[in-house]
Amino acid sequence: MSISAQTYAESLIQTGLEPEFVMQNLNTVKEIIESSTELQDTIKNPSIKIDTKFEIINEIFKTHIDEKIINFLKILISKDRFLQINEIIDAYSNKTKLRSEERRVGKECRS
């Protein structure tokens, strides 16, 4: 797993949103992206302006996911990392599972 995917996953954790909520949002993003090669082609097309890509993202996702996640997607677009979303989702899932397990073990040790 790339360092950039881990870094972006960590930034998602820092949003303060509940991990389950974030995963629901990310899974929605993943489903929509995977179902639309046109969206994938548009996002990776360097001749399309970033502002246009942002408008497309807003239009597609505004009724499906949280605004913080939409803003996160815009960051990925601006950094040319949008198509790494699956790797970022995997990294986020791994990090949140690990933290949850660490908290569970910590509670057991205190009991």
Side-chain angles (χ1 to χ4, degrees):
M1 191 164 305
S2 72
I3 292 173
S4 64
Q6 292 180 37
T7 302
Y8 285 111
E10 186 62 37
S11 70
L12 277 172
I13 291 170
Q14 299 302 318
T15 64
L17 297 171
E18 287 296 318
E20 296 82 16
F21 178 74
V22 173
M23 279 307 299
Q24 289 172 344
N25 279 256
L26 293 176
N27 285 330
T28 299
V29 169
K30 185 177 180 177
E31 289 170 14
I32 291 172
I33 292 170
E34 288 177 350
S35 69
S36 176
T37 55
E38 183 180 2
L39 175 60
Q40 294 172 36
D41 293 342
T42 299
I43 296 301
K44 66 182 174 185
N45 186 335
S47 67
I48 297 175
K49 294 181 181 180
I50 287 181
D51 288 340
T52 303
K53 293 177 184 182
F54 288 174
E55 290 172 16
I56 291 167
I57 292 299
N58 278 333
E59 193 61 35
I60 291 172
F61 292 106
K62 69 182 175 187
T63 60
H64 300 289
I65 64 173
D66 186 82
E67 187 174 343
K68 286 184 179 181
I69 304 300
I70 291 174
N71 290 335
F72 177 75
L73 296 177
K74 290 177 182 178
I75 291 168
L76 295 180
I77 289 170
S78 68
K79 301 294 185 183
D80 199 26
R81 301 283 188 192
F82 187 80
L83 295 178
Q84 282 188 311
I85 192 70
N86 288 337
E87 189 179 359
I88 293 166
I89 291 170
D90 290 343
Y92 178 81
S93 179
N94 291 341
K95 283 179 176 287
T96 55
K97 285 177 186 173
L98 180 62
R99 288 179 185 203
S100 177
E101 182 65 21
E102 288 171 348
R103 282 192 297 273
R104 186 186 62 75
V105 169
K107 286 180 183 177
E108 288 176 1
C109 290
R110 289 190 296 265
S111 297

